[in-house]
Amino acid sequence: IFKSMDLPKEYDLIFVGRLESNKGINLFIEAVKQLNVKALIVGDGPLKGSIKLKIEKWKLKIDVYGWAKDSGEIAELLNKSKILVMPSYNEGGPRVVVEAMACGVPVLATPVGIVPDLLKNGLGGEIIAWEAHDIAQKASGLLNDPDKYRKYGHGGLEIAGQFEKRAAIKNYADKLQNLLK
């Protein structure tokens, strides 16, 4: 489901997640304000009303999409976006980072869950601080550097490939084989 679809890019930045304070949604909105770019928020939650008020008050170019109906729709929205921003304060996975990489979309994410392991080699994206200015600065740098943007897009595809079922099973089997030697 999550793959590069070669769709026209309609949004500079995308946020996918529940609209709660621990997801860093306010950092995302503040970064968009600093950048003055077009963005998309996919999700819903208790902060939806206050988010819409901020967008209106600050005259931001942010579309609030609500929940996507399924994984296919999320994959399509990711493919229509240039960069996924995941500014969470805490996470386990987070799955959306791998999904964006599988779509060839570079990622800017805070160092939560497995994110430091996914982005440690400079492929796929960059680690961001819990500061709107840092998010805006790194997003701007990526949007204005086509070579780096391509590098992260291709690198993310490689990283996400490790999570594909067959690759994951083969990797697990290889590790078991090495234990038996």
Side-chain angles (χ1 to χ4, degrees), residues 19-34 36-37 39 41 46-64 89 132:
L19 306 183
E20 294 184 4
S21 56
N22 74 312
K23 296 292 188 176
I25 184 64
N26 287 313
L27 289 173
F28 178 80
I29 292 168
E30 289 170 30
V32 171
K33 181 183 178 191
Q34 291 178 27
N36 191 28
V37 294
I41 294 173
L47 296 180
K48 186 175 185 176
S50 65
I51 287 166
K52 284 186 165 187
L53 287 174
K54 276 185 185 176
I55 292 168
E56 201 174 297
K57 178 182 175 185
W58 293 342
K59 295 175 176 44
L60 301 176
K61 296 177 276 187
I62 300 177
D63 291 339
V64 180
Y89 291 96

PDB file of all heavy atoms in Angstrom, residues 19-34 36-37 39 41 46-64 89 132:
ATOM      1  N   LEU A  19      -4.821  14.733  17.037  1.00  0.00           N
ATOM      2  CA  LEU A  19      -4.625  16.147  17.369  1.00  0.00           C
ATOM      3  C   LEU A  19      -4.677  16.337  18.883  1.00  0.00           C
ATOM      4  O   LEU A  19      -5.676  16.766  19.455  1.00  0.00           O
ATOM      5  CB  LEU A  19      -5.658  17.005  16.642  1.00  0.00           C
ATOM      6  CG  LEU A  19      -5.703  16.812  15.124  1.00  0.00           C
ATOM      7  CD1 LEU A  19      -6.705  17.758  14.486  1.00  0.00           C
ATOM      8  CD2 LEU A  19      -4.324  16.979  14.510  1.00  0.00           C
ATOM      9  N   GLU A  20      -3.555  15.973  19.515  1.00  0.00           N
ATOM     10  CA  GLU A  20      -3.362  16.094  20.958  1.00  0.00           C
ATOM     11  C   GLU A  20      -2.025  16.762  21.202  1.00  0.00           C
ATOM     12  O   GLU A  20      -1.118  16.684  20.366  1.00  0.00           O
ATOM     13  CB  GLU A  20      -3.365  14.712  21.615  1.00  0.00           C
ATOM     14  CG  GLU A  20      -4.693  14.006  21.542  1.00  0.00           C
ATOM     15  CD  GLU A  20      -4.697  12.675  22.280  1.00  0.00           C
ATOM     16  OE1 GLU A  20      -3.680  12.328  22.923  1.00  0.00           O
ATOM     17  OE2 GLU A  20      -5.714  11.984  22.206  1.00  0.00           O
ATOM     18  N   SER A  21      -1.879  17.362  22.369  1.00  0.00           N
ATOM     19  CA  SER A  21      -0.657  18.128  22.650  1.00  0.00           C
ATOM     20  C   SER A  21       0.605  17.265  22.611  1.00  0.00           C
ATOM     21  O   SER A  21       1.653  17.728  22.164  1.00  0.00           O
ATOM     22  CB  SER A  21      -0.767  18.859  23.987  1.00  0.00           C
ATOM     23  OG  SER A  21      -1.061  17.957  25.015  1.00  0.00           O
ATOM     24  N   ASN A  22       0.536  15.996  23.042  1.00  0.00           N
ATOM     25  CA  ASN A  22       1.747  15.168  23.038  1.00  0.00           C
ATOM     26  C   ASN A  22       2.236  14.815  21.635  1.00  0.00           C
ATOM     27  O   ASN A  22       3.351  14.340  21.465  1.00  0.00           O
ATOM     28  CB  ASN A  22       1.547  13.893  23.865  1.00  0.00           C
ATOM     29  CG  ASN A  22       0.672  12.870  23.177  1.00  0.00           C
ATOM     30  OD1 ASN A  22      -0.405  13.185  22.679  1.00  0.00           O
ATOM     31  ND2 ASN A  22       1.136  11.641  23.147  1.00  0.00           N
ATOM     32  N   LYS A  23       1.418  15.060  20.619  1.00  0.00           N
ATOM     33  CA  LYS A  23       1.821  14.786  19.236  1.00  0.00           C
ATOM     34  C   LYS A  23       2.575  15.965  18.613  1.00  0.00           C
ATOM     35  O   LYS A  23       3.037  15.873  17.484  1.00  0.00           O
ATOM     36  CB  LYS A  23       0.604  14.443  18.368  1.00  0.00           C
ATOM     37  CG  LYS A  23      -0.092  13.163  18.785  1.00  0.00           C
ATOM     38  CD  LYS A  23       0.772  11.954  18.523  1.00  0.00           C
ATOM     39  CE  LYS A  23       0.004  10.671  18.764  1.00  0.00           C
ATOM     40  NZ  LYS A  23       0.791   9.491  18.437  1.00  0.00           N
ATOM     41  N   GLY A  24       2.675  17.082  19.340  1.00  0.00           N
ATOM     42  CA  GLY A  24       3.446  18.224  18.841  1.00  0.00           C
ATOM     43  C   GLY A  24       2.758  19.015  17.744  1.00  0.00           C
ATOM     44  O   GLY A  24       3.411  19.746  17.001  1.00  0.00           O
ATOM     45  N   ILE A  25       1.451  18.904  17.646  1.00  0.00           N
ATOM     46  CA  ILE A  25       0.721  19.579  16.574  1.00  0.00           C
ATOM     47  C   ILE A  25       0.910  21.097  16.619  1.00  0.00           C
ATOM     48  O   ILE A  25       0.997  21.743  15.574  1.00  0.00           O
ATOM     49  CB  ILE A  25      -0.786  19.190  16.585  1.00  0.00           C
ATOM     50  CG1 ILE A  25      -1.532  19.827  15.406  1.00  0.00           C
ATOM     51  CG2 ILE A  25      -1.452  19.558  17.893  1.00  0.00           C
ATOM     52  CD1 ILE A  25      -1.088  19.379  14.039  1.00  0.00           C
ATOM     53  N   ASN A  26       1.004  21.669  17.806  1.00  0.00           N
ATOM     54  CA  ASN A  26       1.208  23.124  17.899  1.00  0.00           C
ATOM     55  C   ASN A  26       2.583  23.538  17.376  1.00  0.00           C
ATOM     56  O   ASN A  26       2.722  24.600  16.771  1.00  0.00           O
ATOM     57  CB  ASN A  26       0.971  23.611  19.331  1.00  0.00           C
ATOM     58  CG  ASN A  26      -0.507  23.610  19.683  1.00  0.00           C
ATOM     59  OD1 ASN A  26      -1.330  24.097  18.910  1.00  0.00           O
ATOM     60  ND2 ASN A  26      -0.861  23.043  20.821  1.00  0.00           N
ATOM     61  N   LEU A  27       3.590  22.694  17.570  1.00  0.00           N
ATOM     62  CA  LEU A  27       4.914  22.964  16.985  1.00  0.00           C
ATOM     63  C   LEU A  27       4.831  22.968  15.467  1.00  0.00           C
ATOM     64  O   LEU A  27       5.437  23.807  14.798  1.00  0.00           O
ATOM     65  CB  LEU A  27       5.935  21.903  17.432  1.00  0.00           C
ATOM     66  CG  LEU A  27       6.395  21.933  18.872  1.00  0.00           C
ATOM     67  CD1 LEU A  27       7.259  20.710  19.169  1.00  0.00           C
ATOM     68  CD2 LEU A  27       7.149  23.211  19.163  1.00  0.00           C
ATOM     69  N   PHE A  28       4.077  22.023  14.922  1.00  0.00           N
ATOM     70  CA  PHE A  28       3.895  21.931  13.471  1.00  0.00           C
ATOM     71  C   PHE A  28       3.269  23.222  12.939  1.00  0.00           C
ATOM     72  O   PHE A  28       3.768  23.808  11.965  1.00  0.00           O
ATOM     73  CB  PHE A  28       3.011  20.723  13.135  1.00  0.00           C
ATOM     74  CG  PHE A  28       2.711  20.565  11.672  1.00  0.00           C
ATOM     75  CD1 PHE A  28       3.642  19.990  10.824  1.00  0.00           C
ATOM     76  CD2 PHE A  28       1.502  20.982  11.139  1.00  0.00           C
ATOM     77  CE1 PHE A  28       3.376  19.842   9.461  1.00  0.00           C
ATOM     78  CE2 PHE A  28       1.226  20.834   9.789  1.00  0.00           C
ATOM     79  CZ  PHE A  28       2.164  20.259   8.955  1.00  0.00           C
ATOM     80  N   ILE A  29       2.207  23.674  13.585  1.00  0.00           N
ATOM     81  CA  ILE A  29       1.502  24.881  13.131  1.00  0.00           C
ATOM     82  C   ILE A  29       2.411  26.110  13.219  1.00  0.00           C
ATOM     83  O   ILE A  29       2.445  26.932  12.311  1.00  0.00           O
ATOM     84  CB  ILE A  29       0.204  25.079  13.946  1.00  0.00           C
ATOM     85  CG1 ILE A  29      -0.775  23.960  13.597  1.00  0.00           C
ATOM     86  CG2 ILE A  29      -0.421  26.433  13.660  1.00  0.00           C
ATOM     87  CD1 ILE A  29      -1.953  23.876  14.520  1.00  0.00           C
ATOM     88  N   GLU A  30       3.169  26.217  14.314  1.00  0.00           N
ATOM     89  CA  GLU A  30       4.084  27.354  14.470  1.00  0.00           C
ATOM     90  C   GLU A  30       5.187  27.324  13.408  1.00  0.00           C
ATOM     91  O   GLU A  30       5.580  28.376  12.891  1.00  0.00           O
ATOM     92  CB  GLU A  30       4.683  27.355  15.872  1.00  0.00           C
ATOM     93  CG  GLU A  30       3.669  27.721  16.948  1.00  0.00           C
ATOM     94  CD  GLU A  30       4.195  27.494  18.361  1.00  0.00           C
ATOM     95  OE1 GLU A  30       5.418  27.608  18.568  1.00  0.00           O
ATOM     96  OE2 GLU A  30       3.374  27.204  19.250  1.00  0.00           O
ATOM     97  N   ALA A  31       5.674  26.141  13.068  1.00  0.00           N
ATOM     98  CA  ALA A  31       6.703  26.016  12.024  1.00  0.00           C
ATOM     99  C   ALA A  31       6.139  26.441  10.667  1.00  0.00           C
ATOM    100  O   ALA A  31       6.795  27.147   9.899  1.00  0.00           O
ATOM    101  CB  ALA A  31       7.234  24.588  11.963  1.00  0.00           C
ATOM    102  N   VAL A  32       4.912  26.022  10.375  1.00  0.00           N
ATOM    103  CA  VAL A  32       4.265  26.413   9.111  1.00  0.00           C
ATOM    104  C   VAL A  32       4.119  27.934   9.066  1.00  0.00           C
ATOM    105  O   VAL A  32       4.338  28.555   8.031  1.00  0.00           O
ATOM    106  CB  VAL A  32       2.896  25.712   8.940  1.00  0.00           C
ATOM    107  CG1 VAL A  32       2.143  26.275   7.748  1.00  0.00           C
ATOM    108  CG2 VAL A  32       3.086  24.208   8.788  1.00  0.00           C
ATOM    109  N   LYS A  33       3.762  28.519  10.189  1.00  0.00           N
ATOM    110  CA  LYS A  33       3.620  29.982  10.260  1.00  0.00           C
ATOM    111  C   LYS A  33       4.943  30.667   9.918  1.00  0.00           C
ATOM    112  O   LYS A  33       4.981  31.632   9.151  1.00  0.00           O
ATOM    113  CB  LYS A  33       3.168  30.392  11.661  1.00  0.00           C
ATOM    114  CG  LYS A  33       2.977  31.894  11.828  1.00  0.00           C
ATOM    115  CD  LYS A  33       2.592  32.233  13.257  1.00  0.00           C
ATOM    116  CE  LYS A  33       2.452  33.739  13.410  1.00  0.00           C
ATOM    117  NZ  LYS A  33       2.343  34.140  14.807  1.00  0.00           N
ATOM    118  N   GLN A  34       6.051  30.159  10.463  1.00  0.00           N
ATOM    119  CA  GLN A  34       7.368  30.747  10.189  1.00  0.00           C
ATOM    120  C   GLN A  34       7.772  30.593   8.725  1.00  0.00           C
ATOM    121  O   GLN A  34       8.411  31.465   8.153  1.00  0.00           O
ATOM    122  CB  GLN A  34       8.432  30.111  11.085  1.00  0.00           C
ATOM    123  CG  GLN A  34       8.296  30.483  12.547  1.00  0.00           C
ATOM    124  CD  GLN A  34       9.334  29.800  13.423  1.00  0.00           C
ATOM    125  OE1 GLN A  34      10.411  29.456  12.966  1.00  0.00           O
ATOM    126  NE2 GLN A  34       8.997  29.610  14.691  1.00  0.00           N
ATOM    127  N   ASN A  36       5.617  29.987   6.042  1.00  0.00           N
ATOM    128  CA  ASN A  36       4.614  30.446   5.084  1.00  0.00           C
ATOM    129  C   ASN A  36       4.539  29.505   3.876  1.00  0.00           C
ATOM    130  O   ASN A  36       4.682  29.915   2.725  1.00  0.00           O
ATOM    131  CB  ASN A  36       4.877  31.893   4.648  1.00  0.00           C
ATOM    132  CG  ASN A  36       3.717  32.461   3.871  1.00  0.00           C
ATOM    133  OD1 ASN A  36       2.563  32.068   4.058  1.00  0.00           O
ATOM    134  ND2 ASN A  36       4.001  33.387   2.980  1.00  0.00           N
ATOM    135  N   VAL A  37       4.333  28.209   4.169  1.00  0.00           N
ATOM    136  CA  VAL A  37       4.212  27.184   3.129  1.00  0.00           C
ATOM    137  C   VAL A  37       2.820  26.571   3.198  1.00  0.00           C
ATOM    138  O   VAL A  37       2.062  26.821   4.127  1.00  0.00           O
ATOM    139  CB  VAL A  37       5.277  26.072   3.305  1.00  0.00           C
ATOM    140  CG1 VAL A  37       6.673  26.618   3.083  1.00  0.00           C
ATOM    141  CG2 VAL A  37       5.148  25.390   4.665  1.00  0.00           C
ATOM    142  N   ALA A  39       0.442  23.414   3.849  1.00  0.00           N
ATOM    143  CA  ALA A  39       0.560  22.204   4.654  1.00  0.00           C
ATOM    144  C   ALA A  39      -0.774  21.480   4.773  1.00  0.00           C
ATOM    145  O   ALA A  39      -1.841  22.041   4.506  1.00  0.00           O
ATOM    146  CB  ALA A  39       1.092  22.559   6.042  1.00  0.00           C
ATOM    147  N   ILE A  41      -2.902  18.718   7.461  1.00  0.00           N
ATOM    148  CA  ILE A  41      -3.019  18.002   8.729  1.00  0.00           C
ATOM    149  C   ILE A  41      -4.028  16.884   8.517  1.00  0.00           C
ATOM    150  O   ILE A  41      -5.182  17.134   8.175  1.00  0.00           O
ATOM    151  CB  ILE A  41      -3.493  18.932   9.866  1.00  0.00           C
ATOM    152  CG1 ILE A  41      -2.427  19.990  10.164  1.00  0.00           C
ATOM    153  CG2 ILE A  41      -3.822  18.121  11.121  1.00  0.00           C
ATOM    154  CD1 ILE A  41      -2.871  21.061  11.158  1.00  0.00           C
ATOM    155  N   PRO A  46      -8.990  16.255  20.223  1.00  0.00           N
ATOM    156  CA  PRO A  46      -9.497  17.341  21.065  1.00  0.00           C
ATOM    157  C   PRO A  46      -8.969  18.737  20.721  1.00  0.00           C
ATOM    158  O   PRO A  46      -9.609  19.727  21.057  1.00  0.00           O
ATOM    159  CB  PRO A  46      -9.083  16.933  22.475  1.00  0.00           C
ATOM    160  CG  PRO A  46      -8.123  15.823  22.340  1.00  0.00           C
ATOM    161  CD  PRO A  46      -8.298  15.231  20.996  1.00  0.00           C
ATOM    162  N   LEU A  47      -7.845  18.846  20.036  1.00  0.00           N
ATOM    163  CA  LEU A  47      -7.292  20.164  19.704  1.00  0.00           C
ATOM    164  C   LEU A  47      -7.765  20.700  18.349  1.00  0.00           C
ATOM    165  O   LEU A  47      -7.362  21.785  17.941  1.00  0.00           O
ATOM    166  CB  LEU A  47      -5.763  20.131  19.733  1.00  0.00           C
ATOM    167  CG  LEU A  47      -5.118  19.838  21.093  1.00  0.00           C
ATOM    168  CD1 LEU A  47      -3.601  19.829  20.973  1.00  0.00           C
ATOM    169  CD2 LEU A  47      -5.574  20.847  22.132  1.00  0.00           C
ATOM    170  N   LYS A  48      -8.625  19.963  17.666  1.00  0.00           N
ATOM    171  CA  LYS A  48      -9.049  20.361  16.315  1.00  0.00           C
ATOM    172  C   LYS A  48      -9.628  21.775  16.280  1.00  0.00           C
ATOM    173  O   LYS A  48      -9.274  22.577  15.416  1.00  0.00           O
ATOM    174  CB  LYS A  48     -10.059  19.370  15.755  1.00  0.00           C
ATOM    175  CG  LYS A  48     -10.433  19.639  14.307  1.00  0.00           C
ATOM    176  CD  LYS A  48     -11.350  18.558  13.764  1.00  0.00           C
ATOM    177  CE  LYS A  48     -11.621  18.759  12.298  1.00  0.00           C
ATOM    178  NZ  LYS A  48     -12.440  17.668  11.746  1.00  0.00           N
ATOM    179  N   GLY A  49     -10.504  22.117  17.223  1.00  0.00           N
ATOM    180  CA  GLY A  49     -11.123  23.441  17.250  1.00  0.00           C
ATOM    181  C   GLY A  49     -10.106  24.551  17.433  1.00  0.00           C
ATOM    182  O   GLY A  49     -10.112  25.541  16.685  1.00  0.00           O
ATOM    183  N   SER A  50      -9.199  24.399  18.397  1.00  0.00           N
ATOM    184  CA  SER A  50      -8.188  25.444  18.640  1.00  0.00           C
ATOM    185  C   SER A  50      -7.203  25.553  17.483  1.00  0.00           C
ATOM    186  O   SER A  50      -6.731  26.640  17.154  1.00  0.00           O
ATOM    187  CB  SER A  50      -7.462  25.207  19.961  1.00  0.00           C
ATOM    188  OG  SER A  50      -6.714  24.010  19.928  1.00  0.00           O
ATOM    189  N   ILE A  51      -6.925  24.435  16.839  1.00  0.00           N
ATOM    190  CA  ILE A  51      -6.021  24.430  15.676  1.00  0.00           C
ATOM    191  C   ILE A  51      -6.656  25.226  14.530  1.00  0.00           C
ATOM    192  O   ILE A  51      -6.001  26.058  13.910  1.00  0.00           O
ATOM    193  CB  ILE A  51      -5.708  22.976  15.248  1.00  0.00           C
ATOM    194  CG1 ILE A  51      -4.757  22.343  16.255  1.00  0.00           C
ATOM    195  CG2 ILE A  51      -5.136  22.921  13.842  1.00  0.00           C
ATOM    196  CD1 ILE A  51      -4.650  20.840  16.136  1.00  0.00           C
ATOM    197  N   LYS A  52      -7.933  24.963  14.270  1.00  0.00           N
ATOM    198  CA  LYS A  52      -8.626  25.687  13.197  1.00  0.00           C
ATOM    199  C   LYS A  52      -8.663  27.188  13.485  1.00  0.00           C
ATOM    200  O   LYS A  52      -8.515  27.998  12.569  1.00  0.00           O
ATOM    201  CB  LYS A  52     -10.036  25.133  13.007  1.00  0.00           C
ATOM    202  CG  LYS A  52     -10.052  23.808  12.272  1.00  0.00           C
ATOM    203  CD  LYS A  52     -11.480  23.377  11.971  1.00  0.00           C
ATOM    204  CE  LYS A  52     -11.487  22.277  10.939  1.00  0.00           C
ATOM    205  NZ  LYS A  52     -12.838  21.948  10.496  1.00  0.00           N
ATOM    206  N   LEU A  53      -8.847  27.563  14.756  1.00  0.00           N
ATOM    207  CA  LEU A  53      -8.843  28.980  15.129  1.00  0.00           C
ATOM    208  C   LEU A  53      -7.482  29.623  14.868  1.00  0.00           C
ATOM    209  O   LEU A  53      -7.402  30.736  14.334  1.00  0.00           O
ATOM    210  CB  LEU A  53      -9.231  29.154  16.604  1.00  0.00           C
ATOM    211  CG  LEU A  53     -10.699  28.931  16.942  1.00  0.00           C
ATOM    212  CD1 LEU A  53     -10.922  28.984  18.447  1.00  0.00           C
ATOM    213  CD2 LEU A  53     -11.584  29.949  16.235  1.00  0.00           C
ATOM    214  N   LYS A  54      -6.393  28.919  15.218  1.00  0.00           N
ATOM    215  CA  LYS A  54      -5.039  29.439  14.969  1.00  0.00           C
ATOM    216  C   LYS A  54      -4.793  29.608  13.477  1.00  0.00           C
ATOM    217  O   LYS A  54      -4.229  30.603  13.033  1.00  0.00           O
ATOM    218  CB  LYS A  54      -3.974  28.498  15.542  1.00  0.00           C
ATOM    219  CG  LYS A  54      -3.689  28.688  16.987  1.00  0.00           C
ATOM    220  CD  LYS A  54      -2.544  27.782  17.406  1.00  0.00           C
ATOM    221  CE  LYS A  54      -2.325  27.875  18.890  1.00  0.00           C
ATOM    222  NZ  LYS A  54      -1.290  26.958  19.362  1.00  0.00           N
ATOM    223  N   ILE A  55      -5.187  28.625  12.706  1.00  0.00           N
ATOM    224  CA  ILE A  55      -4.988  28.669  11.245  1.00  0.00           C
ATOM    225  C   ILE A  55      -5.700  29.885  10.670  1.00  0.00           C
ATOM    226  O   ILE A  55      -5.139  30.611   9.849  1.00  0.00           O
ATOM    227  CB  ILE A  55      -5.483  27.354  10.592  1.00  0.00           C
ATOM    228  CG1 ILE A  55      -4.575  26.187  10.995  1.00  0.00           C
ATOM    229  CG2 ILE A  55      -5.548  27.497   9.072  1.00  0.00           C
ATOM    230  CD1 ILE A  55      -5.131  24.813  10.645  1.00  0.00           C
ATOM    231  N   GLU A  56      -6.923  30.106  11.126  1.00  0.00           N
ATOM    232  CA  GLU A  56      -7.712  31.241  10.644  1.00  0.00           C
ATOM    233  C   GLU A  56      -7.102  32.574  11.105  1.00  0.00           C
ATOM    234  O   GLU A  56      -6.924  33.493  10.314  1.00  0.00           O
ATOM    235  CB  GLU A  56      -9.139  31.106  11.183  1.00  0.00           C
ATOM    236  CG  GLU A  56     -10.175  31.877  10.405  1.00  0.00           C
ATOM    237  CD  GLU A  56     -11.569  31.553  10.918  1.00  0.00           C
ATOM    238  OE1 GLU A  56     -11.977  30.374  10.819  1.00  0.00           O
ATOM    239  OE2 GLU A  56     -12.226  32.479  11.418  1.00  0.00           O
ATOM    240  N   LYS A  57      -6.754  32.644  12.379  1.00  0.00           N
ATOM    241  CA  LYS A  57      -6.199  33.873  12.960  1.00  0.00           C
ATOM    242  C   LYS A  57      -4.877  34.257  12.280  1.00  0.00           C
ATOM    243  O   LYS A  57      -4.637  35.422  11.977  1.00  0.00           O
ATOM    244  CB  LYS A  57      -5.983  33.677  14.463  1.00  0.00           C
ATOM    245  CG  LYS A  57      -5.380  34.861  15.180  1.00  0.00           C
ATOM    246  CD  LYS A  57      -5.155  34.551  16.644  1.00  0.00           C
ATOM    247  CE  LYS A  57      -4.431  35.689  17.330  1.00  0.00           C
ATOM    248  NZ  LYS A  57      -4.090  35.345  18.729  1.00  0.00           N
ATOM    249  N   TRP A  58      -4.026  33.278  12.057  1.00  0.00           N
ATOM    250  CA  TRP A  58      -2.707  33.534  11.471  1.00  0.00           C
ATOM    251  C   TRP A  58      -2.726  33.494   9.943  1.00  0.00           C
ATOM    252  O   TRP A  58      -1.697  33.655   9.304  1.00  0.00           O
ATOM    253  CB  TRP A  58      -1.685  32.530  12.000  1.00  0.00           C
ATOM    254  CG  TRP A  58      -1.383  32.678  13.469  1.00  0.00           C
ATOM    255  CD1 TRP A  58      -1.628  33.760  14.260  1.00  0.00           C
ATOM    256  CD2 TRP A  58      -0.775  31.702  14.306  1.00  0.00           C
ATOM    257  NE1 TRP A  58      -1.200  33.510  15.540  1.00  0.00           N
ATOM    258  CE2 TRP A  58      -0.676  32.251  15.600  1.00  0.00           C
ATOM    259  CE3 TRP A  58      -0.298  30.396  14.099  1.00  0.00           C
ATOM    260  CZ2 TRP A  58      -0.112  31.560  16.672  1.00  0.00           C
ATOM    261  CZ3 TRP A  58       0.256  29.712  15.169  1.00  0.00           C
ATOM    262  CH2 TRP A  58       0.348  30.285  16.436  1.00  0.00           C
ATOM    263  N   LYS A  59      -3.906  33.231   9.357  1.00  0.00           N
ATOM    264  CA  LYS A  59      -4.062  33.167   7.896  1.00  0.00           C
ATOM    265  C   LYS A  59      -3.061  32.190   7.258  1.00  0.00           C
ATOM    266  O   LYS A  59      -2.377  32.517   6.287  1.00  0.00           O
ATOM    267  CB  LYS A  59      -3.940  34.562   7.278  1.00  0.00           C
ATOM    268  CG  LYS A  59      -5.054  35.506   7.705  1.00  0.00           C
ATOM    269  CD  LYS A  59      -4.830  36.899   7.170  1.00  0.00           C
ATOM    270  CE  LYS A  59      -5.923  37.873   7.465  1.00  0.00           C
ATOM    271  NZ  LYS A  59      -6.512  37.916   8.773  1.00  0.00           N
ATOM    272  N   LEU A  60      -3.007  30.997   7.815  1.00  0.00           N
ATOM    273  CA  LEU A  60      -2.068  29.981   7.338  1.00  0.00           C
ATOM    274  C   LEU A  60      -2.683  29.165   6.207  1.00  0.00           C
ATOM    275  O   LEU A  60      -3.898  28.994   6.136  1.00  0.00           O
ATOM    276  CB  LEU A  60      -1.675  29.055   8.494  1.00  0.00           C
ATOM    277  CG  LEU A  60      -1.025  29.727   9.684  1.00  0.00           C
ATOM    278  CD1 LEU A  60      -0.768  28.722  10.794  1.00  0.00           C
ATOM    279  CD2 LEU A  60       0.271  30.415   9.288  1.00  0.00           C
ATOM    280  N   LYS A  61      -1.811  28.650   5.352  1.00  0.00           N
ATOM    281  CA  LYS A  61      -2.250  27.805   4.239  1.00  0.00           C
ATOM    282  C   LYS A  61      -2.172  26.340   4.677  1.00  0.00           C
ATOM    283  O   LYS A  61      -1.326  25.573   4.199  1.00  0.00           O
ATOM    284  CB  LYS A  61      -1.381  28.061   3.012  1.00  0.00           C
ATOM    285  CG  LYS A  61      -1.510  29.477   2.460  1.00  0.00           C
ATOM    286  CD  LYS A  61      -0.579  29.709   1.280  1.00  0.00           C
ATOM    287  CE  LYS A  61       0.789  30.090   1.810  1.00  0.00           C
ATOM    288  NZ  LYS A  61       1.754  30.501   0.824  1.00  0.00           N
ATOM    289  N   ILE A  62      -3.038  25.986   5.622  1.00  0.00           N
ATOM    290  CA  ILE A  62      -3.083  24.623   6.145  1.00  0.00           C
ATOM    291  C   ILE A  62      -4.484  24.070   5.927  1.00  0.00           C
ATOM    292  O   ILE A  62      -5.466  24.665   6.339  1.00  0.00           O
ATOM    293  CB  ILE A  62      -2.753  24.572   7.655  1.00  0.00           C
ATOM    294  CG1 ILE A  62      -1.357  25.105   7.944  1.00  0.00           C
ATOM    295  CG2 ILE A  62      -2.893  23.136   8.167  1.00  0.00           C
ATOM    296  CD1 ILE A  62      -1.004  25.139   9.429  1.00  0.00           C
ATOM    297  N   ASP A  63      -4.557  22.908   5.271  1.00  0.00           N
ATOM    298  CA  ASP A  63      -5.820  22.194   5.128  1.00  0.00           C
ATOM    299  C   ASP A  63      -5.924  21.175   6.262  1.00  0.00           C
ATOM    300  O   ASP A  63      -4.984  20.405   6.496  1.00  0.00           O
ATOM    301  CB  ASP A  63      -5.888  21.449   3.789  1.00  0.00           C
ATOM    302  CG  ASP A  63      -5.986  22.394   2.596  1.00  0.00           C
ATOM    303  OD1 ASP A  63      -6.392  23.561   2.793  1.00  0.00           O
ATOM    304  OD2 ASP A  63      -5.651  21.963   1.479  1.00  0.00           O
ATOM    305  N   VAL A  64      -7.045  21.185   6.981  1.00  0.00           N
ATOM    306  CA  VAL A  64      -7.295  20.190   8.030  1.00  0.00           C
ATOM    307  C   VAL A  64      -8.197  19.131   7.411  1.00  0.00           C
ATOM    308  O   VAL A  64      -9.365  19.379   7.142  1.00  0.00           O
ATOM    309  CB  VAL A  64      -7.935  20.837   9.276  1.00  0.00           C
ATOM    310  CG1 VAL A  64      -8.177  19.780  10.343  1.00  0.00           C
ATOM    311  CG2 VAL A  64      -7.051  21.959   9.816  1.00  0.00           C
ATOM    312  N   TYR A  89       6.166  14.270  21.214  1.00  0.00           N
ATOM    313  CA  TYR A  89       6.947  14.281  22.450  1.00  0.00           C
ATOM    314  C   TYR A  89       7.196  12.865  22.956  1.00  0.00           C
ATOM    315  O   TYR A  89       8.146  12.629  23.699  1.00  0.00           O
ATOM    316  CB  TYR A  89       6.236  15.108  23.526  1.00  0.00           C
ATOM    317  CG  TYR A  89       6.226  16.578  23.207  1.00  0.00           C
ATOM    318  CD1 TYR A  89       5.134  17.169  22.579  1.00  0.00           C
ATOM    319  CD2 TYR A  89       7.323  17.375  23.513  1.00  0.00           C
ATOM    320  CE1 TYR A  89       5.130  18.529  22.269  1.00  0.00           C
ATOM    321  CE2 TYR A  89       7.331  18.733  23.198  1.00  0.00           C
ATOM    322  CZ  TYR A  89       6.218  19.296  22.585  1.00  0.00           C
ATOM    323  OH  TYR A  89       6.234  20.633  22.278  1.00  0.00           O
ATOM    324  N   ALA A 132       9.784  25.018  17.196  1.00  0.00           N
ATOM    325  CA  ALA A 132       9.228  25.380  15.890  1.00  0.00           C
ATOM    326  C   ALA A 132      10.306  25.950  14.972  1.00  0.00           C
ATOM    327  O   ALA A 132      10.320  25.661  13.769  1.00  0.00           O
ATOM    328  CB  ALA A 132       8.083  26.373  16.058  1.00  0.00           C
TER     329      ALA A 132
END
